[in-house]
Amino acid sequence: MTREYQGIPVSDGIAIARAVVLRPAEIQPDPTPIQPEQAQAELAAFAAALEAAREQIQALYDSTCRRLGEERAEIFSAHLSVLEDPVLEETIQDKITQDHRSAVCAIAQGVEEIAAMFQGLQDPYLQERAADIRDVGRRILENAAGVPRVELSSLEEDSVVIARDLTPSETVTMDLSHTMGFVTELGGRTSHTAILSRSLEIPAVVGVSGLLDHIAGGDTVILDALEGRLLVDPTDDQVEDYRRRQSEFLAQRQALNALRDLPAQTRDGRVFSLCANIGGPGDVASAHKYGAEGVGLYRTEFLYMNNTHFPTEEEQFEAYRVVAAEMGKDRPVIIRTLDIGGDKELPYFQFDQEDNPFLGWRAIRMCLDREDVFKTQLRAILRASIFGKLLIMFPMIISLEEFQQAKALLETCKEELRAEGKSFDENIQTGIMVETPAAVMMADVLARHVDFFSIGTNDLTQYTLAVDRGNTRIAHRYDPLHPAVLRAIERVIQASHAAGKWTGMCGEFAGDPRATVLLAGMGLDEFSMTASSIPKIKQLLRSLDCTAARTLAKQALAASSVTEVRELLNLN
Amino acid sequence: MVETTVQIVNKTGLHARPASNLTNVAKKFKSRLTLIHDDKSGNAKSIINILTLDLNMGSHVVVRAEGEDENEALAAVADFISTLTE
């Protein structure tokens, strides 16, 4: 009978294979205190176990270096540091001489104490180091207890490896050519299992607690790491269904991989930048997966919405830092400052009742009135700016004064941080979302002062056509292909180029395949969209001739109506 | 016993690789080398100690050396920390 388990998917894919279950031998350290005269012998036993571990890890380092290269071997170099750490040695020696523990007991307790200390630290990277400490400790323990290591260096057939947790030294000796996927009881998104399986591009699901009590080696399993499911003893129908899903997945991935690292370059050589819109650190993986060259819009609202209080500087800093670091210095991230208003309910803040919250006290207007809230965000962004490449963008700008006020506040924050000795990117760029008709009309003036524009077509279309998308009676009038909107876009792009600046677009229109040829023809520099839309738009851009696109764009800009534009694009 | 205060300028603080490199520098000397930050102190030759001090960019650290080569030890460690940039 099929059993089903749920866990956290950490690496995409589907595997259908036999399960191999890793059950390390149980070592029960004897807590009986030792006699003082036994201490010398126990110290010697510990020293021998330590030395043996050193030799084993050194050997692992050398063979991994040879087989898989220095980068993959680095983890063992870190393990050697842990092994040679005076604190590790002293802690265990003290347990033998002062607490009267046997070597095995002292090792078990000492390692756990140190690992727990790491686990208690704030930094997720350091928390993961607890796993390294336990890995090394386990090795020393097995040496001291005389327990042989379980090595999985030859799997006889394609297998899904199932374990409580997987340590680097276990996985490095594993026969990866037959490893189809991983499932562990412990672990999270940044655990070793997750990192390894993503780099090998094999499916993995972690956090399936209690699994080892319900599964035996040899069971056939389907590992669905798209949904985070494990099916044990599946029916023939399920197997067939999943084989089909597996082929689809692999075909899709192959197509994506082929496209991901290619530039968004038209047939006649014009290159565009394709970026992702994200809501937080959780979306970065997706951005990478689809080949985003950067983040054109980091919506910071979620930090405020999913919260019981205004997010503190530390909370924000952490989120921005992670995104900056994971995107890296070569992939710029544009952070949009708080863009929220009376239409959203914040449990900790009461907006006034407004007749028209969309034309009301929101976004930059709120931020300029609530300097405390605004400065907290700006400080957090500045502090995070050293970890990658960040740009700041202000929403809903209607005037130069607003932009200048915001910038002045930014300068104040910079001065404060300098006085506090905190570093930030001194050259951080600042731009604005162009989403109001006022900004469009003043684009030439604004272009002289900002570093870039990003067009927010959703709101721009609503404000320009005076249509509320949410109003079903008139929603059909909302169409960014309306020449009024196209002309607005054109005006903004031209104004930026005339001032030597660039324009991106983060509204839905950027990811709309019907619009691509027009936007390319108008010379939009950067298209930012939901990550999963990137491949399609990239494919379109790569098939375009930019000169022809420019001609088409000119015609669309001269059109008298949406109908004419749609005809030009063969959409009717 | 000699000591000095340095500031960490490295963007990713004193974690991972840099911490490991620091222990290598510290181990060359006979003196006891201690790092003190925020009321916590640790042995500069211990990667475990350094990592649990949780030293980030901007942190001020007191470096203390005690032993026959304390002056060179202090200079080497202080220099390593204050000039570290990744």
Side-chain angles (χ1 to χ4, degrees):
Chain A
M1 212 201 51
T2 316
R3 278 126 50 214
E4 200 178 306
Y5 304 92
Q6 197 67 33
I8 307 169
V10 294
S11 177
D12 278 347
I14 294 174
I16 306 168
R18 285 259 218 269
V20 163
V21 183
L22 274 189
R23 273 179 231 277
E26 271 294 324
I27 297 179
Q28 295 284 27
D30 186 354
T32 321
I34 56 170
Q35 301 301 332
E37 54 272 19
Q38 287 174 276
Q40 279 309 322
E42 294 302 311
L43 284 173
F46 169 49
L50 199 64
E51 185 51 38
R54 195 193 324 272
E55 280 169 24
Q56 288 154 359
I57 298 179
Q58 184 65 54
L60 274 173
Y61 176 83
D62 293 334
S63 77
T64 305
C65 235
R66 273 194 320 267
R67 279 195 309 134
L68 302 168
E70 207 179 313
E71 214 186 299
R72 291 282 297 278
E74 226 184 88
I75 181 74
F76 296 115
S77 174
H79 283 193
L80 279 172
S81 292
V82 168
L83 198 65
E84 289 161 9
D85 197 303
V87 166
L88 183 74
E89 211 172 329
E90 277 160 26
T91 305
I92 297 174
Q93 283 168 343
D94 285 348
K95 287 201 185 297
I96 295 175
T97 55
Q98 287 167 15
D99 299 343
H100 310 296
R101 300 265 167 258
S102 65
V104 169
C105 201
I107 294 168
Q109 285 180 356
V111 166
E112 194 44 42
E113 255 173 45
I114 297 174
M117 196 164 48
F118 274 80
Q119 209 153 4
L121 295 174
Q122 293 284 42
D123 192 320
Y125 169 82
L126 291 176
Q127 285 180 0
E128 290 297 325
R129 303 284 64 74
D132 285 333
I133 305 231
R134 290 199 176 98
D135 189 353
V136 173
R138 172 85 202 174
R139 182 176 288 281
I140 306 171
L141 193 62
E142 285 172 358
N143 288 336
V147 162
R149 268 249 131 166
V150 176
E151 309 279 20
L152 260 185
S153 43
S154 59
L155 292 173
E156 274 146 28
E157 50 175 12
D158 288 352
S159 316
V160 168
V161 175
I162 303 190
R164 191 160 148 72
D165 200 359
L166 287 168
T167 62
S169 43
E170 282 166 333
T171 53
V172 91
T173 54
M174 213 173 265
D175 183 357
L176 294 172
S177 62
H178 284 300
T179 305
M180 299 288 111
F182 291 116
V183 186
T184 58
E185 285 188 346
L186 305 177
R189 287 208 58 86
T190 58
S191 63
H192 172 65
T193 309
I195 296 170
L196 179 69
S197 47
R198 285 200 281 264
S199 72
L200 295 172
E201 287 194 324
I202 58 179
V205 170
V206 303
V208 187
S209 24
L211 179 61
L212 260 53
D213 293 335
H214 297 110
I215 195 166
D219 283 347
T220 302
V221 300
I222 295 177
L223 176 57
D224 176 359
L226 301 176
E227 304 287 322
R229 291 162 88 198
L230 179 73
L231 286 93
V232 181
D233 250 345
T235 64
D236 288 340
D237 280 345
Q238 283 174 323
V239 171
E240 205 182 298
D241 178 43
Y242 268 101
R243 282 215 198 285
R244 191 184 42 80
R245 293 201 222 183
Q246 190 183 41
S247 315
E248 268 169 30
F249 172 79
L250 289 171
Q252 230 175 49
R253 179 159 68 192
Q254 200 163 32
L256 261 186
N257 282 348
L259 198 55
R260 181 176 42 213
D261 298 320
L262 294 176
Q265 183 172 25
T266 62
R267 288 198 336 258
D268 52 349
R270 169 83 205 261
V271 180
F272 296 93
S273 180
L274 290 181
C275 299
N277 294 343
I278 67 171
D283 296 335
V284 175
S286 194
H288 278 319
K289 174 173 161 182
Y290 292 102
E293 293 162 53
V295 166
L297 168 63
Y298 177 169
R299 299 184 177 97
T300 56
E301 290 71 65
F302 300 118
L303 283 165
Y304 295 80
M305 280 156 52
N306 304 338
N307 217 328
T308 54
H309 52 270
F310 274 110
T312 63
E313 188 181 309
E314 284 316 302
E315 284 169 4
Q316 294 191 52
F317 167 67
E318 195 44 41
Y320 305 149
R321 181 188 70 78
V322 167
V323 171
E326 290 191 6
M327 290 304 290
K329 296 224 180 280
D330 298 324
R331 282 193 272 249
V333 174
I334 303 181
I335 300 187
R336 179 180 66 189
T337 57
L338 181 57
D339 187 3
I340 214 167
D343 53 305
K344 291 275 181 296
E345 274 203 25
L346 295 180
Y348 48 88
F349 184 76
Q350 189 77 285
F351 282 96
D352 287 342
Q353 262 290 55
E354 292 173 316
D355 280 342
N356 197 335
F358 290 103
L359 297 182
W361 192 73
R362 61 182 300 116
I364 194 70
R365 302 152 180 205
M366 173 204 179
C367 287
L368 290 174
D369 280 352
R370 284 297 300 262
E371 279 186 12
D372 52 332
V373 173
F374 199 24
K375 279 176 72 182
T376 302
Q377 179 168 52
L378 292 175
R379 282 176 56 101
I381 297 173
L382 284 170
R383 284 173 56 202
S385 66
I386 53 170
F387 291 94
K389 181 141 180 82
L390 296 182
L391 295 81
I392 305 179
M393 166 163 84
F394 304 117
M396 210 186 179
I397 296 282
I398 60 170
S399 70
L400 179 60
E401 284 105 326
E402 281 177 341
F403 178 69
Q404 287 172 329
Q405 275 177 284
K407 274 210 80 171
L409 219 50
L410 184 68
E411 285 309 310
T412 306
C413 291
K414 286 184 182 178
E415 271 155 37
E416 284 174 8
L417 290 175
R418 277 188 208 110
E420 293 164 29
K422 299 198 168 118
S423 292
F424 55 89
D425 178 3
E426 293 276 354
N427 300 318
I428 191 166
Q429 290 194 1
T430 49
I432 63 169
M433 289 247 337
V434 175
E435 42 191 348
T436 61
V440 171
M441 288 303 160
M442 301 304 292
D444 55 334
V445 169
L446 291 163
R448 294 199 288 272
H449 298 267
V450 304
D451 291 318
F452 64 92
F453 288 140
S454 184
I455 305 179
T457 51
N458 304 13
D459 280 343
L460 181 63
T461 306
Q462 292 198 110
Y463 292 137
T464 302
L465 302 182
V467 170
D468 174 0
R469 280 176 102 170
N471 184 330
T472 46
R473 196 152 189 184
I474 46 133
H476 61 282
R477 295 174 188 274
Y478 172 101
D479 193 342
L481 286 172
H482 191 298
V485 180
L486 297 180
R487 289 177 184 198
I489 295 172
E490 162 80 358
R491 188 192 172 100
V492 171
I493 296 174
Q494 291 312 316
S496 71
H497 291 173
K501 312 286 170 69
W502 57 272
T503 299
M505 181 180 287
C506 54
E508 270 168 36
F509 207 41
D512 186 343
R514 305 169 311 163
T516 311
V517 63
L518 296 180
L519 297 174
M522 286 193 254
L524 182 68
D525 302 291
E526 174 242 65
F527 296 60
S528 193
M529 62 199 76
T530 310
S532 54
S533 300
I534 291 176
K536 165 146 347 120
I537 303 297
K538 187 185 282 191
Q539 220 142 30
L540 276 172
L541 287 167
R542 287 179 62 83
S543 67
L544 280 186
D545 176 281
C546 219
T547 320
R550 231 186 310 277
T551 308
L552 194 65
K554 280 213 179 81
Q555 290 174 318
L557 289 164
S560 327
S561 64
V562 179
T563 316
E564 247 185 74
V565 175
R566 295 174 68 92
E567 242 160 54
L568 270 172
L569 298 174
N570 293 322
L571 293 173
N572 287 329
Chain B
M1 200 263 286
V2 286
E3 71 176 47
T4 187
T5 305
V6 290
Q7 190 180 27
I8 299 188
V9 295
N10 190 39
K11 292 168 187 201
T12 48
L14 202 56
H15 299 310
R17 210 132 217 244
S20 186
N21 292 337
L22 175 59
T23 60
N24 292 336
V25 168
K27 282 179 186 172
K28 291 192 191 133
F29 301 98
K30 297 209 176 87
S31 303
R32 255 179 88 73
L33 280 155
T34 315
L35 299 179
I36 305 165
H37 170 70
D38 257 7
D39 294 337
K40 287 200 290 189
S41 72
N43 181 348
K45 297 178 187 176
S46 159
I47 194 170
I48 291 173
N49 271 180
I50 296 175
L51 291 181
T52 49
L53 281 179
D54 207 4
L55 297 167
N56 296 307
M57 226 215 66
S59 298
H60 285 99
V61 180
V62 172
V63 185
R64 190 176 286 168
E66 191 164 356
E68 57 185 68
D69 51 6
E70 59 188 36
N71 289 308
E72 294 116 315
L74 184 70
V77 170
D79 192 60
F80 177 87
I81 296 175
S82 56
T83 59
L84 177 72
T85 47
E86 278 206 305

